[in-house]
Amino acid sequence: MSSVLSPEMRRRAGGRDIRIVFDEATIAARVHALGQEITAAFPDGELLVLGLLKGSFIFLSDLVRQIDRPLHLDFLVASSYGSEQVSSGNVRLVYDPETPLEEKHLLIVEDIIDSGRTMKKMLALLATRRPASLAVCALLNKNLLPVPIPEVRWVGFPAPPAFLVGYGLDHVEDYRHLPFIGDLN
Ligand code: IMP
Ligand code: MG
């Protein structure tokens, strides 16, 4: 695999020279494996997959098509109060699922765990809704936490210390539609 963009991909990226870190075939194979693991892991009962928008939208849609059991799907939209630059750690749900969460197996699907602040706050908030279980599947994990978050049961790939874009991940809303995951710098 070449890490250099084809002329078509370079055009899609607006001429920006992004280095491919995980190509389409690598992502597809990993998402297939994650789907099989998730299928095997959940006991009977209602599984509600909650995609954290917007970053998870492509991963989420590929992942649920690899999960071989009944499930329901909804979204979460989180927002931090206070300063926009520094994550205040105060997470609020801007969109809260209509479906009750009580007694359901919740699987949160996230694009990337960086400092882990967003995820920790989100999990604390969802735990108050009395789900049957609470687990996370993250596409990428930068592994910056001294103590891993126990609910993060599945990770697609360990992320290199770079700013990653594509396959749902953005830089100021650009590059979400690229089919691969690349390093912007
Ligand atoms: P955390 O609260 O520091 O873990 O931030 C996680 C959120 O920051 C993710 O859900 C992404 O939206 C964003 N983020 C962190 N690192 C990257 C990156 O490398 N590329 C794109 N978005 C990122
Ligand atoms: Mg995100």
Side-chain angles (χ1 to χ4, degrees):
M1 178 204 100
S2 165
S3 64
V4 178
L5 296 194
S6 64
E8 186 203 349
M9 286 304 153
R10 186 186 264 269
R11 193 165 59 239
R12 286 199 202 185
R16 183 88 180 232
D17 215 356
I18 295 166
R19 188 179 60 85
I20 299 173
V21 179
F22 302 107
D23 68 9
E24 280 187 79
T26 305
I27 297 169
R30 185 68 189 118
V31 172
H32 177 69
L34 286 170
Q36 288 187 320
E37 286 177 35
I38 289 166
T39 302
F42 282 95
D44 288 346
E46 288 183 71
L47 173 61
L48 176 62
V49 179
L50 293 171
L52 203 46
L53 291 179
K54 293 183 244 182
S56 74
F57 83 109
I58 294 179
F59 177 45
L60 176 73
S61 62
D62 283 346
L63 182 67
V64 290
R65 284 177 290 175
Q66 302 296 332
I67 300 177
D68 196 10
R69 58 158 288 156
L71 59 81
H72 286 184
L73 184 103
D74 212 328
F75 301 96
L76 294 169
V77 182
S79 162
S80 322
Y81 316 90
S83 161
E84 303 247 318
Q85 260 83 43
V86 185
S87 172
S88 61
N90 284 317
V91 173
R92 175 173 74 89
L93 287 179
V94 176
Y95 169 74
D96 201 335
E98 306 280 325
T99 354
L101 308 183
E102 293 79 24
E103 302 305 318
K104 292 184 182 153
H105 295 293
L106 302 186
L107 177 65
I108 317 305
V109 177
E110 170 64 312
D111 55 355
I112 185 165
I113 298 173
D114 188 6
S115 75
R117 272 213 195 89
T118 313
M119 187 49 70
K120 277 189 187 165
K121 294 284 169 176
M122 184 63 55
L123 289 169
L125 198 149
L126 292 171
T128 67
R129 308 288 179 85
R130 304 180 167 281
S133 68
L134 190 51
V136 177
C137 177
L139 174 63
L140 296 153
N141 187 355
K142 288 195 175 166
N143 296 306
L144 296 176
L145 289 168
V147 181
I149 302 170
E151 287 89 349
V152 181
R153 279 180 73 181
W154 295 280
V155 172
F157 304 102
F163 197 84
L164 301 174
V165 295
Y167 198 68
L169 290 101
D170 74 307
H171 174 253
V172 204
E173 296 303 323
D174 280 324
Y175 314 119
R176 289 196 197 272
H177 65 314
L178 299 178
F180 56 86
I181 298 166
D183 176 353
L184 190 60
N185 299 302

